[in-house]
Amino acid sequence: MGAKYTYDESGVTFFYYALTVLSLVVAPATIYLLVGKRSTDTLQKPKTPKVRFRNTRSKSSPLKVKTALLLGGWALIFLLSYKVKTTEIKEAERWDPYEILGIDNGESEDVIKRAYRKLSL
């Protein structure tokens, strides 16, 4: 009674792995972006006087970049989910050495040796 190992030669389990890892990253990041940091300090009035400064905007704000990355992550999650749903998993063929040798299951050792010698010639 040996262990029955099956190997993924068709590459189907990669999509499950990628979907799991991507979900573990994108879902918490989305919650963090939507909820953000909420602290009681932001609700209080600032104790320092307001100082005017020139408004310098960068070409892309960090919020836009994070949002774009999250939307791309969710698009990949939906794409991988569709791929997992539509991929047909083929049943592995059963390898039977008795069938290859052309003998019945449970034959004696001499019959197996003769069938092997006959097949090797």
Side-chain angles (χ1 to χ4, degrees):
M1 287 201 195
K4 295 183 179 181
Y5 295 108
T6 58
Y7 298 100
D8 182 31
E9 295 177 5
S10 61
V12 174
T13 55
F14 168 75
F15 297 113
Y16 287 98
Y17 174 76
L19 182 63
T20 303
V21 170
L22 194 60
S23 298
L24 287 174
V25 172
V26 172
T30 303
I31 292 170
Y32 180 76
L33 183 68
L34 293 177
V35 175
K37 292 183 183 178
R38 291 190 179 171
S39 65
T40 58
D41 296 338
T42 59
L43 299 176
Q44 297 175 355
K45 291 184 179 180
K47 295 179 181 178
T48 58
K50 290 185 180 180
V51 178
R52 290 187 174 208
F53 60 93
R54 194 173 0 169
N55 191 2
T56 57
R57 288 187 175 182
S58 62
K59 291 185 179 182
S60 63
S61 67
L63 185 61
K64 288 182 182 179
V65 172
K66 289 178 185 177
T67 305
L69 286 174
L70 283 177
L71 288 176
W74 280 109
L76 276 174
I77 285 176
F78 289 124
L79 179 72
L80 287 172
S81 298
Y82 176 76
K83 182 72 175 168
V84 164
K85 183 179 182 279
T86 58
T87 301
E88 184 177 322
I89 300 174
K90 297 178 183 176
E91 187 69 33
E93 293 181 23
R94 186 171 175 250
W95 183 74
D96 187 14
Y98 294 103
E99 184 180 325
I100 295 170
L101 292 174
I103 58 176
D104 291 331
N105 206 2
E107 290 285 344
S108 68
E109 202 172 308
D110 293 332
V111 175
I112 294 173
K113 286 181 182 181
R114 273 187 262 134
Y116 183 74
R117 284 190 202 116
K118 182 181 174 184
L119 189 63
S120 65
L121 296 176

